[in-house]
Amino acid sequence: QVVGMSIYDLYQAYPERLDMLKKVLSEGKTHRSIDKVGECYFDAYVIGLKNENNEVEGLLGISVDVTERVLLVQENRDNEEKLRQQNYE
């Protein structure tokens, strides 16, 4: 359960992710990335929430587990490379 947790506590073990979140907070820019957390991959989308003065006052983040898709793409690339190597032998 992460609802209500500080991003600083939640991502203390992931400094690159924390830096990105700080950047979204300070600049208000949207960020999207595929992140590996442990053995899982997540398609993460973060946007700064702005008030009536156009100041960022919070974040909205959505992450979707895309581990299966990422692993299938990697497997496909590996198989293509094996086929290329077999064709050159």
Side-chain angles (χ1 to χ4, degrees):
Q1 180 81 257
V2 297
V3 174
M5 284 184 69
S6 164
I7 62 171
Y8 302 104
D9 294 333
L10 185 61
Y11 291 108
Q12 66 183 352
Y14 303 96
E16 68 285 343
R17 183 87 173 135
L18 190 54
D19 288 343
M20 178 276 301
L21 292 169
K22 288 178 184 177
K23 188 173 184 177
V24 172
L25 274 172
S26 66
E27 300 176 9
K29 294 185 179 179
T30 300
H31 176 83
R32 184 170 184 209
S33 61
I34 303 291
D35 300 318
K36 185 175 183 185
V37 179
E39 296 299 316
C40 297
Y41 292 86
F42 294 92
D43 186 352
Y45 180 79
V46 181
I47 187 168
L49 299 175
K50 298 180 180 181
N51 62 21
E52 60 277 352
N53 298 322
N54 207 33
E55 301 164 329
V56 179
E57 60 180 21
L59 296 174
L60 173 64
I62 299 171
S63 294
V64 177
D65 185 344
V66 292
T67 304
E68 185 175 352
R69 181 181 73 188
V70 169
L71 295 177
L72 286 171
V73 168
Q74 288 176 349
E75 181 181 346
N76 189 41
R77 287 181 184 151
D78 292 345
N79 289 337
E80 287 175 349
E81 181 60 30
K82 287 177 187 175
L83 285 172
R84 274 199 265 329
Q85 289 177 359
Q86 288 175 355
N87 287 335
Y88 289 115
E89 291 178 359

